Amino acid sequence: MAVAQGRRGSKGAGTAPSPLFAAVVEQITAALPELGCAQAEEIVSAMSGRTCRGIHDHLGEYRDALVSGSSLAPPPVQRLIHTLAAAGFDRVRVPACHRCGRIRALVKVVEGGRVCGGCAGALAYAAAVGVCRECSRTKALPAQGLCSACYARGRNQTKTKTACASCGQFRLCRESRADGRSLCDTCRPRPTATCALCGTSSKIQARWPVGPVCANCYMQVRINPAPCSVCDRPRALIGRVDGEPACGPCCGVETDYACSRCANPADSVVGGLCEQCAFDDQATDYFDALPATPQAQLSLLRDRLQSGEQPRAARSWLKHSASARLLSELVAGGQRITHEALDVACREPGRGYAAGYLRDVLVDAGVLPPRDEHTASVERRFAQIIGAHPRLAVLLHAYGYGSVLPRLRSRERPSTEYVADWATARMISAVDLLTWAGGRSLTLSRLSQDDVDQWLAEGASTRHNVRDFLVWAAEDGRAQPLLVPHRDKPDPVGMAARSHWEMLQQCLRDEALALETRVAGALVLLYGQQATRIVALHRDCLQHREGGSYLVLGETPVMLPPALARLIAELAAAENKDPVTGERVTSRWLFPNARNRMRHQSAASVTALLNAYGITIKPARASALMNAAMDLPPAELSAKLGMHLITAEQWRRLAARTWTAYLRTPATERE
């Protein structure tokens, strides 16, 4: 049987074997009788004298070392065992690592046996653990009694920050070898090499024990920790031991990408801490610095942030957002945060969006009670309009707060963007009329019908909105009865029946269309809903009962076709990312805002979305409502589709006229 040769060549023919040579051959054949002397001599002849001495000494102490599998075997004996095992001797047992039990090269002697290189690195890392003299935390101490984070921080403090030649930020910079410019680590050009994980040639993000890695692989390994093949702890696997993925300490390097406080793997390390621990410290600094009264009020917000699944998003919100800075400023005096305080902040230049977003966050966390924001926005607009016209303040305040707002608050249905715009348009028309009259030295009580007619004729048709103000003024005794005719509106023109049907089928069947487009388009084409009402639909408007699914549009839920019910259910189950906590959560709105899940989309965005796919809302609504008005009586139409009874009666009359005109059309001209 042929046996593999060792590293050294065979001794020349005719050379007499030394006593050590003969003794080793005798020891091997004694342990393995099936191995003949000739084969044993062939194996030993390829060894150096030092190797033979090591084997002789170990087999002299442990005669069964070749068949016992003991991890005490030194490297020469390990090589001999591997040679014999490769030659097919089944009784030979390859020694395993004393710590992890894996078959691999044993390089370090420990108590009880020998361990592999990975376990040797892990034991060395564990042996270097102690109390850092800077942060007083129990961590690995690589140098001078300091942990790696404190050691690096101390080195950085001795360096001077300079302006980066690329981004302009004051950071620790180094000269670029390419052009000599002083660049920070972010802007510094990275060398190109073949990634050890994906095999692509790209810029190198880091050099790990496994080799250079690109930015994509670096991030994937960091955010997807897995059990190490050596220590079985969940870690970023940045190396390999005997071909298996392993963490840094098991590969003999200190880098483990673990939090120094909780020891959990971290996809990002902030001062030696994982994102969760870093956020806990930041939340403590932020909220504990607040006065006692608002600190207790904001406890719900603090709990909500700390319980989130994405502490990085919450930490970024506390550190960088304008709304978090506004919150700390509003409660700096010790007062409780209220809707009124946020209303004042909304009127300050440049703070409107931050105040509105902060309000949504506090309402969502339960710190502030919910309120009708459309009505509140009308109040803010009225305050701005009245403040801009102090001479008309008494009259405008009486009209706005005594007539318009009470009617808004008494509405049975939730207000929408359209309602808020309607109220604002009435107030603006009143201001325009009074300003025009004041320029002619006329008071409201002295306005005549000729004056009103002249003012209406000189401007756009939107001036007819002043009718509501003049009716109120006459009823309140502030003006004589004045007539403002209703604006003539052309009858709505619907779509061609075939086009209407084809578009509806496309919304229900075409998987290529976006889900939001399909649902919004179907609600317009089938039920004639306005965009302002579509975006204000809640997820709980969809109800499942025995016999089918229903959508609440008015007082009486309307039964949905199965295809549309499936689309709405899919849209209601969609999750959105919370920009504060980073969690994937479901919004209470059926059409949530992409930037702020606590608010719904604007009617303008949905209208633009439908227009982009050829669905024009006005003719689509007209066709849907005329079809519904021909099948349902006005009372039922009003209850199911959520419209006023008078409006339902108007659609009924319009549908009747359209049907009569259709019957009078010759059959050859009908579509």
Side-chain angles (χ1 to χ4, degrees):
M1 179 184 296
V3 181
Q5 297 293 322
R7 291 180 302 171
R8 306 279 182 125
S10 300
K11 298 181 183 297
T15 303
S18 66
L20 177 62
F21 178 91
V24 171
V25 170
E26 182 180 355
Q27 289 175 323
I28 295 176
T29 54
L32 295 173
E34 63 271 25
L35 178 64
C37 291
Q39 295 173 340
E41 290 176 355
E42 183 180 358
I43 295 174
V44 177
S45 64
M47 300 179 183
S48 65
R50 183 175 180 180
T51 300
C52 288
R53 173 62 61 186
I55 295 175
H56 179 270
D57 293 345
H58 187 75
L59 294 182
E61 185 176 357
Y62 304 97
R63 296 184 179 182
D64 60 345
L66 299 181
V67 296
S68 66
S70 172
S71 63
L72 293 172
V77 178
Q78 294 179 43
R79 291 194 294 270
L80 174 61
I81 292 174
H82 280 286
T83 300
L84 294 173
F89 293 98
D90 297 334
R91 286 206 312 126
V92 174
R93 290 186 58 189
V94 179
C97 174
H98 178 69
R99 181 172 182 266
C100 66
R102 298 176 183 269
I103 304 297
R104 53 188 63 181
L106 308 181
V107 297
K108 185 175 179 59
V109 179
V110 298
E111 184 178 356
R114 289 178 178 266
V115 296
C116 61
C119 291
L123 293 174
Y125 181 80
V129 172
V131 179
C132 175
R133 62 183 178 86
E134 180 68 25
C135 63
S136 301
R137 297 171 180 167
T138 302
K139 300 171 63 176
L141 306 178
Q144 303 176 11
L146 299 174
C147 64
S148 57
C150 294
Y151 182 75
R153 189 181 303 113
R155 291 188 62 187
N156 291 338
Q157 288 176 353
T158 61
K159 299 179 181 179
T160 303
K161 293 184 178 181
T162 58
C164 175
S166 178
C167 64
Q169 299 291 329
F170 278 86
R171 296 173 177 172
L172 297 176
C173 301
R174 291 181 290 177
E175 287 189 3
S176 172
R177 296 181 179 179
D179 52 13
R181 295 190 303 165
S182 180
L183 301 175
C184 64
D185 288 341
T186 303
C187 301
R188 178 172 52 87
R190 300 182 181 276
T192 300
T194 301
C195 177
L197 297 179
C198 65
T200 60
S201 179
S202 59
K203 293 183 177 180
I204 295 305
Q205 181 72 18
R207 293 186 181 276
W208 286 340
V210 73
V213 292
C214 63
N216 184 48
C217 293
Y218 174 88
M219 184 57 62
Q220 290 300 318
V221 172
R222 291 291 306 276
I223 66 178
N224 295 298
C228 174
S229 61
V230 178
C231 63
D232 204 34
R233 295 182 301 173
R235 288 289 182 267
L237 306 182
I238 64 174
R240 294 185 183 277
V241 176
D242 289 349
E244 298 294 332
C247 63
C250 292
C251 294
V253 298
E254 182 186 352
T255 305
D256 62 353
Y257 296 113
C259 177
S260 59
R261 179 181 301 172
C262 65
N264 288 327
D267 62 347
S268 179
V269 178
V270 184
L273 301 178
C274 64
E275 288 285 356
Q276 184 63 56
C277 292
F279 171 71
D280 291 341
D281 289 350
Q282 186 170 352
T284 299
D285 295 340
Y286 181 89
F287 288 101
D288 289 355
L290 301 178
T293 299
Q295 185 180 140
Q297 182 189 13
L298 296 175
S299 60
L300 292 175
L301 175 61
R302 182 173 185 174
D303 295 341
R304 175 67 181 278
L305 293 175
Q306 291 184 318
S307 63
E309 297 179 356
Q310 298 291 334
R312 178 184 299 182
R315 194 170 69 89
S316 177
W317 183 77
L318 279 181
K319 185 176 181 180
H320 301 294
S321 70
S323 52
R325 291 193 297 270
L326 176 61
L327 176 60
S328 60
E329 293 176 10
L330 292 177
V331 300
Q335 300 85 2
R336 292 176 60 86
I337 188 73
T338 61
H339 280 295
E340 290 72 20
L342 292 174
D343 289 339
V344 174
C346 280
R347 292 193 288 269
E348 297 179 8
R351 285 193 166 185
Y353 180 81
Y357 188 83
L358 177 60
R359 188 197 311 278
D360 294 336
V361 171
L362 297 178
V363 170
D364 186 67
V367 177
L368 292 179
R371 70 172 186 177
D372 187 345
E373 289 302 322
H374 293 297
T375 303
S377 68
V378 172
E379 294 183 21
R380 291 196 299 270
R381 295 176 190 177
F382 281 5
Q384 294 175 352
I385 294 173
I386 294 173
H389 302 84
R391 295 184 179 181
L392 308 175
V394 175
L395 189 57
L396 295 177
H397 189 279
Y399 170 60
Y401 290 87
S403 175
V404 180
L405 283 174
R407 282 181 284 165
L408 290 183
R409 296 191 181 104
S410 62
R411 283 173 51 89
E412 296 180 357
R413 294 181 298 176
S415 59
T416 62
E417 297 177 45
Y418 171 77
V419 174
D421 294 339
W422 174 91
T424 306
R426 268 66 188 166
M427 179 65 80
I428 293 176
S429 297
V431 170
D432 292 343
L433 175 61
L434 295 176
T435 303
W436 179 86
R440 287 160 176 74
S441 301
L442 296 174
T443 61
L444 179 60
S445 59
R446 293 174 54 193
L447 275 179
S448 64
Q449 185 65 50
D450 293 338
D451 296 327
V452 173
D453 292 341
Q454 180 183 353
W455 180 74
L456 292 175
E458 292 177 355
S461 61
T462 54
R463 288 191 172 185
H464 285 74
N465 291 329
V466 82
R467 182 177 183 277
D468 185 77
F469 170 70
L470 293 178
V471 169
W472 166 82
E475 293 177 352
D476 201 47
R478 300 174 183 267
Q480 56 181 310
L482 299 170
L483 177 63
V484 177
H486 290 282
R487 283 183 289 179
D488 293 332
K489 295 182 180 179
D491 290 339
V493 179
M495 303 171 59
R498 181 176 300 174
S499 299
H500 182 264
W501 174 256
E502 290 176 351
M503 282 193 173
L504 178 58
Q505 290 302 309
Q506 186 180 13
C507 290
L508 296 178
R509 310 295 179 188
D510 192 353
E511 298 289 342
L513 289 179
L515 183 59
E516 289 185 345
T517 304
R518 298 174 67 186
V519 173
L523 292 177
V524 173
L525 293 165
L526 192 58
Y527 301 113
Q529 293 297 296
Q530 296 172 322
T532 53
R533 298 202 61 197
I534 291 175
V535 297
L537 289 174
H538 291 191
R539 291 175 58 249
D540 54 10
C541 288
L542 178 64
Q543 300 178 355
H544 300 283
R545 305 177 185 176
E546 293 184 3
S549 300
Y550 294 81
L551 186 65
V552 179
L553 298 173
E555 298 176 359
T556 304
V558 59
M559 189 173 184
L560 295 171
L564 181 56
R566 178 180 58 83
L567 294 178
I568 297 179
E570 184 179 349
L571 183 61
E575 293 184 345
N576 305 93
K577 183 178 180 180
D578 190 321
V580 177
T581 63
E583 297 177 287
R584 301 293 299 181
V585 295
T586 54
S587 172
R588 66 189 183 102
W589 303 106
L590 198 59
F591 293 85
N593 190 299
R595 295 181 59 191
N596 182 3
R597 68 166 186 86
M598 294 165 283
R599 292 195 177 188
H600 58 68
Q601 297 183 30
S602 65
S605 64
V606 172
T607 301
L609 187 65
L610 295 179
N611 289 341
Y613 287 95
I615 303 176
T616 307
I617 290 184
K618 284 188 176 181
R621 286 191 68 237
S623 295
L625 292 177
M626 283 190 288
N627 291 337
M630 286 189 290
D631 297 333
L632 300 175
E636 188 175 357
L637 183 66
S638 171
K640 286 190 173 182
L641 300 188
M643 63 176 60
H644 197 279
L645 181 59
I646 296 177
T647 305
E649 292 174 347
Q650 292 174 347
W651 280 108
R652 178 72 172 184
R653 291 193 294 268
L654 178 61
R657 293 201 306 268
T658 304
W659 180 247
T660 301
Y662 177 79
L663 293 177
R664 292 176 179 175
T665 304
T668 56
E669 299 181 9
R670 298 175 186 172
E671 183 179 352

